[in-house]
Amino acid sequence: MAHFYRAREPLSGVVTTIPLLSAVSLILQEMKAADPDRYAAADITHSVARPHRQGLRPTDTSPLRVSRSPWDSAVPVLRRAWARNGGLSPLKSGRLASTEANMCRTQQPCPTLGETPAQWSRFSLLPRPEWHSASFKHFETAVLSAARGEIPVAQASLRLVQDRDLHDWCDEHGLWAGELRVATLGTKTLPKYNGLLDAKKDPPAAMVEAVFVRDGYRCRYCHTPVVSGELLKALHALMGNDYFPRGPTNRSNSGIARCFTAVADHVVPHSRGGATNLENLVTSCGPCNYAKTDYTLQQLGLEDPRLRPAPGGWTPLQGTLGALRDQAAVRR
Ligand SMILES: [Zn+2]
Ligand SMILES: [Zn+2]
């Protein structure tokens, strides 16, 4: 894939890009016509990367973002090239457009998020699909096994996590879940806030941990179990990139990291005068935090999560942190 990209590095401007895309499209169509079975699963318009079109029926059980066909590797490369060439939107033209056009944010209303306000949860912006919970179970098994030094079990369990689906679900519905609500409710813009802001926006590590412990490491909005960033780091050190890939950006990061990392969320946004203290901070999963952005509960039509007790009923994985680090040290 990298080779493909480098070979065409001097691309400049739409003029060279469009013929290239057409050529690639034609070649791939020919390949598909010659061997339809092989490429059936790779048709962009029916790809797993569009879970909500398919009732979130995942087919990729690998934690790696493995490319299964020329389509899968060609599209991101071409999209990047496109973006570098003056930002011609893939939404606007051509066959590749369908990959983006199927995204949640261009579909209003979104069946996954609820088509009318009456279908929205009062507690959570993002209804969790069943496979999300199943994937967490596999992830949990992986962590517990890894902490015991049962590496093959941990590897097999990580392979069962629908990592790519988690990743895409977060992308497709995460940010849009909040935007959809404020657009529908007409609450997107609030009068400028002129009150005081807490001088400290980011809570100190000890406060963050106290919030997570108090909430039993579960998202106070959607109740999904979550783990600390340091636990994921330790797991990564032990399992390596093949089984638990991590990347520095949202796009390159694993679905596990994006969906299951605990975040301390200001219930009243900091930009609206919310304090950075135990009272105003709750544990949130990545997608709930991502979706909420800087909106207030009122803007989003959500109830105050602090009025519901933390769900409990789960033994946080944080207790395995020391064992994970020990296992990684032994194997180094
Ligand atoms: Zn959607
Ligand atoms: Zn959540």
Side-chain angles (χ1 to χ4, degrees), residues 124 126 128 219-224 284-289:
S124 163
L126 284 157
R128 266 186 295 152
C219 174
R220 292 291 294 267
Y221 297 102
C222 74
H223 287 182
T224 192
S284 172
C285 70
C288 283
N289 181 254

Side-chain angles (χ1 to χ4, degrees), residues 287-320:
C288 283
N289 181 254
Y290 191 43
K292 189 163 167 278
T293 56
D294 250 1
Y295 295 121
T296 65
L297 298 174
Q298 292 76 15
Q299 280 177 289
L300 296 165
L302 283 180
E303 296 203 1
D304 192 325
R306 298 168 297 187
L307 301 178
R308 279 201 303 174
W314 180 64
T315 306
L317 293 172
Q318 190 68 6
T320 65

Side-chain angles (χ1 to χ4, degrees), residues 3 22-23 135 147 180 190 204 224 240 252 264 270 295:
H3 170 73
S22 311
S135 282
L180 172 74
L190 285 186
T224 192
S252 62
H270 177 264
Y295 295 121

Side-chain angles (χ1 to χ4, degrees), residues 52 103-105 107 110-113 172-173 176:
H52 82 274
M103 296 278 276
C104 178
R105 64 198 72 158
Q107 287 200 345
C110 166
T112 299
L113 297 174
E172 292 209 11
H173 308 294
W176 185 243

Side-chain angles (χ1 to χ4, degrees), residues 88-104:
L88 173 64
S89 169
L91 286 172
K92 300 239 161 66
S93 63
R95 172 148 192 191
L96 290 177
S98 61
T99 62
E100 291 284 340
N102 290 343
M103 296 278 276
C104 178

Side-chain angles (χ1 to χ4, degrees), residues 233-252:
K233 210 171 149 192
L235 184 69
H236 178 254
L238 178 57
M239 303 304 295
N241 262 328
D242 284 351
Y243 289 92
F244 184 37
R246 275 164 71 72
T249 63
N250 275 344
R251 193 149 279 289
S252 62

